[in-house]
Every structure is written in C-alpha cells, then in structure tokens.
C-alpha cells in the first residue's frame, strides 16, 4: 500500500511514499525492538541485581555482558555496514531471552552456568543491537527531526521497563514482599516469552536506501568496499581529536551501576519493584525536556548543544550532591525500607535523580555525536564508538560493584571523580564544534508532502527550497563535516 502522490514545488518530481518505508514506521520498528529486548532487560536490572536477593552474581554476569558488548559495539559498525542494518538488528536481539532464561533457572533452581552463558550470548547480541540502533534512530530521520525521533525511540525503549516494572509489581506486591529477598520466578517466564518476539520484528526494518523521508531527502550511505576498508575508516573515526576528547564523558555517562546495589542494600522486594516502575516516568520526562530543547528550531544547532551541556551539568550537580548526602546518612544507619515506611521517598529520589540526569546526558551525547556526521555509515561508527565505550565503562562499574562496599563510598567517589574529569574536555569539544548539518530546514530540501501540524512527520514549508545544485550536494553526502574531522 502506498500513499498517493502529492503536489510538489516546480521542478521537483511527484513522489509516492510507501508506509512501511517511512521514517515513522521504521521508528516504530526500532522502538518496538528496543521495547521488547533491551527494554525488558533494563526492567529486570532496574529492580537491582536483576531481581535476585544479592547483587554479586548478577553484577559479575553483567560485567561479562558489557565487556563483550563493548567490543561488539565498537566493531559492530563495520559488520553493520557490510551485512546491513536489518540483519545486524536481528542478530542483536537473539541473546536477550537466553539471558532472561539464565536468571529464571538461577532464581528457581540455583543454577549458575546458564546465567554466565546467557551473559555471553547477550553480550554479543547487545553489542550488535546498539551498534545498529543508534545509527537507525538518528540516521533515518531528517536532521532537523533527530531530537524528536530520538525521543520516540526512547519512549519505546523506556516502555519496556515500564511494562516490565508493572509485571514485577503485579507479581510481587503482597505483604510477603516487604522484606529484602528475590522476585518470584514467574516474572522471568513472562520476560523470556516477550523477548522472543523481538527477532522477527527486527526483520521489518527498511534498508537505508529504501527509507522515504517526509521532505524527500535521502539517507546518505558511504559504506566502504571491504571489511578492511571499514576497519580503516573505524580507526580513523576513533582517532579524531574530538572523539578522543569525548572518551571520558562516554565512560562517565553510564558508569553509575552502584544504583543496583543501593536498592538491594536499602529496600525490600516490593519497594524495589515500585521504584523500578516509577523511575521510568522520570526518565521519560528527562528525555522529553532535553529533546524539546535539541529540536528547538528558533535556536541554532550549535547554541542548542551549548545550552544542553550546561543543562546536563546542572542536573548532575543536583543528583550527585543529593546522592552523597543521603548515602552518608544510610552509611551511619543502614535502613531496610518498604514503600509504607516514612523514609522511602528520600531514598527513592536518589535513584530518580540519578536516572533523570543520566538520561539527559545520554540524549545530549547522541545528539552531539549525530551532529558530527552527514551520512549514516559514519554515524554508525560514531554511535558504535559511543556505545562501545559506555559498555566498557559499565563492565568496569559492574565489576567494581561485585564487592560489598561498606556505605558505598568507593563507587560513589569513582563516579564523582570521573564526571568531574570529563567536564572540561567535553566543553572543549562543545566550544569548537561545527555541526555537519545545516541549522534549519530551509537549508536542506523542499517539502514534498502536505501534512498536518499534529503529524510527527510534518513536512518542510513549500518556500524552503534549495537550488538543484545544493540539493544534489546534500543527497550524495558532500556536505562539509567541519573542522572537528581532523585530529
């Protein structure tokens, strides 16, 4: 089924858009896969320790997941550029149900080996998933709509933890779940069944060359001719001065995995289930706010990135100062809170603020990295580097949190120092950054479809038309990537 052709400005051919090749449909595909696979994985881990009674085995398994994932994220870009994003996304889903099955057998029978096997398979899959997902979510939409589509992607991916948190809460809400312990084993069976749906859904993704944007522009592809050439291109991207300066913030962004231990130390089962469910609303709000800023067309792209930087810094200061104050209080007198207890809200806000600040940083980082590329092949490499380094950081953080730190001061200190060290080199990149894409829709291509304001794929104004020479330049990916491209 295709949409009928629409009137276009003079000199521009009429275009028929097929619904399953539109950017919106593909946003729903990538969002749906993110909802089911990593979304439900996040739901389990947002419980603290994957729902287990103690965090140490699951933290060790997650360290294995993210260690493998880091390499696959980094080297997944050449793979994705050679075998295609659809097949990469498909392979990126198959390991998640194995991981959930391992947690089920451990919860019910005390089995350990399947947890570790699941961690390995999930690590390989997750690496390929993240190498492809970021490039799809940011490379398929028009440059002026990246923040909006990133938010759609995030809403879906956070929908997984919301659904998972609701399932966990429904199965673990009675009075028997007031104390510390582990969630019921039935919880994992639901997760395994749902995660098996992700693989066939991934095959519905359109290849980049078939994507039909609302404004008629094409997704620019610059794939190399061989794996060797792809790895050379990856090395060149990794050695860029701006990317090297961003490495500390890539590590700092997701280094805080102590939040999992924090929950198991200080909250009962149903309090953990409620926290895992409710904090997702804070994540969604955080994503909505930063995405609105990053797509605010009245402000130039560079200025949005600068404002976003200080916005993220402000929220991290609030979150970590508050976290330190509460942690010191809990170190002196360790509590065990149920949601009915008076002090529950105080500890809950530590987790809420950590997640809020972290989500703002991740959205901003993805937007910054996306603004450095004018083609999806390079964007795949950048997002792979970003997610790969985040994964290495998470592997180290989970390894750090396999230890039972008295009072949590060591992981909190490491996180605080890392964030502090990352601030200045990140600012240097922001200060010197030249976005690869134009500042406004008027600098890109003409509108080819008349759509209402409520449509998420609203077109460009008819008067916003480039010359044929300028349009050809954009279509084949010849736009300048700016001074950040050189080391």
């Amino acid at each position: 089924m295709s949409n009928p052709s629409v009137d276009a400005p003079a000199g521009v051919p009429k275009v028929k858009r097929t619904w399953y090749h539109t950017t919106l449909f593909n946003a729903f595909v990538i969002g749906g896969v993110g909802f089911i696979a990593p979304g439900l994985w996040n739901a389990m881990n947002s419980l603290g320790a994957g729902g287990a009674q103690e965090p140490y085995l699951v933290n060790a398994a997650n360290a294995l997941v993210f260690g493998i994932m880091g390499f696959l994220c980094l080297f997944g870009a050449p793979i994705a550029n050679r075998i295609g994003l659809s097949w990469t996304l498909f392979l990126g889903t198959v390991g998640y149900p194995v991981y959930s099955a391992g947690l089920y057998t451990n919860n019910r029978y005390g089995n350990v080996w399947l947890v570790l096997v699941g961690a390995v398979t999930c690590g390989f899959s997750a690496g390929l998933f993240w190498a492809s997902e970021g490039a799809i979510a940011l490379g398929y939409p028009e440059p002026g709509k990246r923040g909006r589509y990133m938010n759609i992607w995030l809403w879906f991916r956070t929908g997984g933890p919301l659904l998972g948190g609701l399932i966990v809460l429904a199965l673990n809400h009675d009075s028997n779940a007031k104390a510390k312990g582990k969630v019921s084993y039935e919880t994992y069976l639901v997760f395994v069944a749902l995660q098996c749906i992700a693989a066939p859904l991934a095959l519905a993704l359109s290849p980049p060359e078939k994507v039909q944007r609302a404004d008629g522009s094409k997704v620019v592809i610059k794939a190399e001719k061989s794996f060797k050439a792809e790895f050379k291109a990856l090395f060149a991207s990794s050695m860029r001065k701006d990317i090297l300066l961003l490495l500390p913030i890539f590590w700092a962004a997701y280094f805080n995995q102590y939040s999992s231990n924090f929950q198991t130390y200080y909250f009962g089962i149903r309090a953990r289930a409620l926290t895992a469910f409710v904090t997702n609303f804070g994540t969604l709000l955080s994503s909505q706010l930063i995405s609105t800023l990053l797509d605010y067309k009245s402000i130039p792209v560079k200025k949005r990135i600068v404002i976003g930087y200080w916005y993220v810094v402000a929220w991290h200061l609030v979150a970590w100062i508050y976290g330190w104050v509460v942690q010191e209080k809990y170190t002196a007198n360790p509590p065990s809170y149920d949601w009915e207890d008076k002090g529950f809200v105080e500890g809950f806000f530590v987790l809420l603020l950590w997640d809020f600040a972290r989500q703002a940083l991740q959205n901003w980082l993805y937007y910054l990295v996306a603004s450095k590329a004018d083609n999806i092949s390079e964007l795949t490499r950048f997002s792979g580097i970003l997610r790969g380094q985040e994964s290495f950081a998470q592997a180290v953080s989970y390894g750090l949190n396999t230890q039972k730190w008295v009072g949590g001061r060591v992981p909190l200190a490491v996180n605080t120092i890392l964030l502090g060290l990352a601030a200045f080199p990140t600012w240097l990149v922001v200060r010197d950054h030249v976005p690869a894409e134009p500042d406004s829709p008027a600098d890109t291509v003409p509108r080819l479809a008349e759509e209402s304001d409520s449509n998420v794929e609203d077109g460009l104004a008819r008067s916003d038309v480039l010359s044929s020479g300028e349009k050809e330049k954009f279509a084949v990916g010849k736009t300048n990537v700016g001074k950040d491209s050189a080391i």
Side-chain angles (χ1 to χ4, degrees):
M1 175 180 176
S2 299
N3 294 334
S5 60
V6 296
D7 293 334
V12 179
K14 294 181 179 180
V15 175
K16 288 185 177 180
R17 299 178 65 218
T18 308
W19 63 272
Y20 54 84
H21 288 320
T22 61
T23 48
L24 182 59
F25 176 81
N26 283 281
F28 274 82
V29 171
I30 191 65
V33 174
F35 177 95
I36 297 167
L40 293 180
W41 188 94
N42 287 336
M44 287 185 289
N45 279 276
S46 63
L47 281 167
Q53 184 167 353
E54 293 187 332
Y56 311 114
L57 172 63
V58 175
N59 281 347
N62 286 345
L64 187 59
V65 168
F66 285 104
I68 296 171
M69 178 179 165
F71 285 104
L72 264 294
C73 280
L74 189 59
F75 299 113
I79 296 172
N81 285 339
R82 298 305 299 170
I83 70 173
L85 289 171
S86 181
W87 283 107
T88 306
L89 188 65
F90 170 80
L91 294 173
T93 63
V94 295
Y96 284 96
V98 182
Y99 177 93
S100 299
L103 292 185
Y104 164 75
T105 58
N106 177 258
N107 181 289
R108 189 169 186 183
Y109 305 113
N111 179 294
V112 173
W113 69 266
L114 190 56
V115 174
L116 300 178
V117 170
V120 172
T121 58
C122 188
F124 279 100
S125 278
L128 293 173
F129 177 86
W130 284 103
S132 57
E133 187 195 40
I136 295 164
L138 295 169
Y140 276 27
E142 301 90 314
K145 297 180 182 178
R146 278 177 176 158
R148 184 183 311 176
Y149 277 88
M150 183 166 57
N151 201 36
I152 292 173
W153 161 43
L154 192 278
W155 271 82
F156 269 100
R157 188 156 55 85
T158 306
L162 275 172
L163 175 62
L166 191 59
I167 292 169
V168 172
L169 192 58
L171 295 173
N172 301 275
H173 69 279
D174 58 28
S175 58
N176 294 325
K178 284 186 176 183
K180 296 179 181 180
K182 60 184 180 181
V183 302
S184 62
Y185 66 80
E186 292 91 348
T187 304
Y188 300 104
L189 293 176
V190 178
F191 286 1
V192 171
L194 289 172
Q195 286 177 325
C196 287
I197 303 171
L201 178 60
L203 296 176
L205 186 77
S206 299
E209 64 272 13
K210 292 185 178 180
V211 172
Q212 297 172 343
R213 292 171 168 173
D215 65 4
S217 64
K218 300 294 184 183
V219 177
V220 183
I221 307 166
K222 289 184 179 178
E224 303 295 335
K225 295 181 180 179
S226 66
F227 270 112
K228 182 179 179 180
E230 285 287 353
F231 281 110
K232 286 181 67 176
L234 175 62
F235 180 77
S237 297
S238 301
M239 290 296 103
R240 284 175 47 150
K241 180 180 178 181
D242 53 341
I243 296 299
L244 293 174
L245 285 171
L246 287 172
L247 288 182
I249 196 62
F250 289 174
W251 272 67
Y254 265 79
F255 196 83
N256 179 24
Q257 302 307 321
Y258 171 68
S259 56
S260 178
N261 290 44
F262 186 88
Q263 291 184 71
T264 59
Y265 292 164
Y266 306 124
F267 295 99
I269 299 170
R270 69 178 192 174
R272 287 159 60 187
L274 179 64
T275 299
F277 177 64
V278 176
T279 52
N280 288 298
F281 291 101
T283 300
L284 289 173
L285 177 61
S286 178
S287 176
Q288 184 67 53
L289 291 174
I290 189 71
S291 296
T292 300
L293 166 64
L294 295 175
D295 265 356
Y296 193 69
K297 293 180 176 59
S298 297
I299 303 175
V301 172
K302 172 66 178 288
K303 193 169 183 179
R304 292 177 226 166
I305 291 171
V306 172
I307 295 171
Y309 171 83
W310 292 113
Y311 173 86
V312 169
V313 167
W315 274 111
H316 275 77
L317 286 172
V318 170
W320 285 92
I321 291 172
Y322 181 75
W324 269 105
V325 170
V326 174
Q327 179 62 70
E328 288 301 302
K329 179 179 178 181
Y330 288 1
T331 300
N333 295 290
S336 179
Y337 286 130
D338 179 58
W339 68 42
E340 294 179 346
D341 296 332
K342 184 178 179 181
F344 167 75
V345 174
E346 176 186 69
F348 163 78
F349 265 95
V350 172
L351 299 165
L352 181 69
L353 287 170
W354 278 344
D355 282 355
F356 191 98
R358 178 168 56 190
Q359 191 58 56
L361 173 55
Q362 191 190 42
N363 279 37
W364 179 82
L365 263 182
Y366 268 100
Y367 188 88
L368 172 65
V369 168
S371 70
K372 292 179 176 294
D374 65 349
N375 68 88
I376 199 168
S377 303
E378 183 76 343
L379 182 54
T380 303
R381 298 181 197 107
F382 285 159
S383 60
I385 294 167
L386 165 58
R387 199 66 187 101
Q389 295 302 323
E390 285 181 345
S391 299
F392 289 138
Q394 286 174 280
V396 173
S397 182
Y398 273 117
L400 181 68
N401 287 293
T402 58
Q403 306 299 312
K404 190 172 184 178
W405 301 106
V406 178
R409 287 173 177 156
V410 171
L412 257 68
V414 174
N415 276 276
T416 305
I417 292 169
L418 188 55
L419 284 164
L421 291 175
F424 183 66
T426 303
W427 169 248
L428 293 179
V429 173
V430 171
R431 184 194 65 187
D432 298 334
H433 179 55
V434 177
E437 301 287 0
D439 264 333
S440 68
D443 299 326
T444 53
V445 290
R447 176 180 182 176
L448 297 185
E450 191 68 32
E451 298 172 292
S452 68
D453 290 339
S454 61
N455 190 331
V456 73
E457 293 198 278
D458 53 326
L460 301 175
R462 288 180 179 273
S463 60
D464 299 335
V465 181
L466 283 178
S467 69
S468 59
E470 289 172 313
K471 190 172 75 172
E472 189 272 342
K473 177 182 175 182
F474 178 82
V476 298
K478 296 177 182 176
T479 50
N480 183 17
V481 298
K483 63 184 179 184
D484 286 343
S485 62
I487 187 167

